[in-house]
Amino acid sequence: MNFQYLDKISTEMSPFLCIAFTFAYFLYFYLAKKPKPVYLLDFTCFRPPHTCRVPFATFVEHANQVFDPKNAHFQMRVLQKSGLGEETCFPPNIHYIPPEPTEKGSLEEAQLVIFSVVDDLLVKTGIKPPEIDFLVVNCNVFNPIPSLSSMVVNKYKMKSSVKCFNLGGMGCSAELIALDLVKDMLQVYPNSYGLIVSTEIITPCLYSGKQRPMLVTNCLFRMGGAAMVVTNRATDRARAKYKLQHVVRTHLGAHDKAYYCVQQQQDDEGYVGFSLSKDLPAVAGEALKTNLTALGPRVLPFSEKLLFVQNFLRRRFLNPKTPPYVPNFKKAFEHFCIHAGGRAVIDDLETHLRLSPEDVEASRMTLYRFGNTSSSSPWYSLGYTEAKGRMKRGDRVWQIALGSGFKCNSAVWMSLRTMSEPEKGVWSACIDKFPVVV
């Protein structure tokens, strides 16, 4: 055998083998590091039963029975300016006179809300409970033992290997925190389903004391919840509604003013409630600014980035008094799902982001119809947009929420299909009435 001939071939081929090996290595490295796509199959929102409705007259009548006249009148004035309508709902135990914010009542409310949205979601998606690989339940105030996530596992007999997380005390932006957690899990575990349940149990939240900053929350928070299924399965892309583009989280808890601006407290009479400090507007503005600074470069078109840089250079080198340029986020998104935390929250974001009344319509109508449902409110807003038939293929959706800590979180979705027939969901009984003038 001619070994010299073989040596010549190997010598000539070695550069090509090195190149091929290097190319294969970098291709593998790229594919391994490239983020796996995350799809939203579907979502559902909770519609409280009609018997839980609390029109203004009922709210005032109950307030006069529970509070002294001055504090009852104060809550009535807050409610009139809140942006809430006549069909928001309280849980049954809060309808009693006097209210009964008991542990049993809280658990009954949790079961009603959570099981309702999960039942509807499983029917819509066709997914069986044993197929769920990750479960995240977030509820800020009510955290029983066993946890709410364990309650869901027990109810639906999920598999023993399901990875459960229970998020508490994380404020009205906890839903997007849960989403970010599941997104990270889906980067590690292929071909998986994640179930997220987001709610706030109102039964233990009623404040019966006399401190007015803590009475405000009685006028804003109402029953609500949402559930969604996300996945990284490529085979599910064809039936998914949305693809997740970005999740940006901002936490200002290192600053004392931000940390203490929203907190649960006990007053001198022993009543527990949520205190809102006078620093809240400034802190919320700073959290929003920080979040937008991180989100902007990822989503804004080049023209907006260029205008921002020009403004920065002008303020830095020519005229420090030049007002800062606020990018036009309407060029980055077609739909805005702002946390319906209150009328002032929506007004401020509309002003600072230079949005039109149509841009914030979904959030205003969510607040009007369902009240502040805490972390689930952006999903009610998204449901409103779908029910109106406004969602088209390729549309980009911005969900933004503010919460205690203090936090500001954003999620960006891209619609994967045009809905030929509006999916009315939780809005099915009333969407034709909206929008209304608040």
Side-chain angles (χ1 to χ4, degrees), residues 171-174 284-285 287-288 339 345 349 400-404 406-409:
C172 296
S173 62
L288 176 64
H339 165 52
V345 174
L349 286 172
I400 183 168
L402 303 165
S404 60
F406 194 83
K407 299 182 285 294
C408 178
N409 298 324

Side-chain angles (χ1 to χ4, degrees), residues 16-26:
F16 297 100
L17 291 173
C18 291
I19 293 173
F21 177 79
T22 303
F23 176 78
Y25 174 79
F26 281 108

Side-chain angles (χ1 to χ4, degrees), residues 208-230:
S208 302
K210 299 179 180 179
Q211 305 219 3
R212 291 193 172 181
M214 301 169 74
L215 287 169
V216 173
T217 56
N218 293 347
C219 308
L220 297 177
F221 285 93
R222 296 294 187 267
M223 285 182 77
M228 60 238 52
V229 170
V230 292

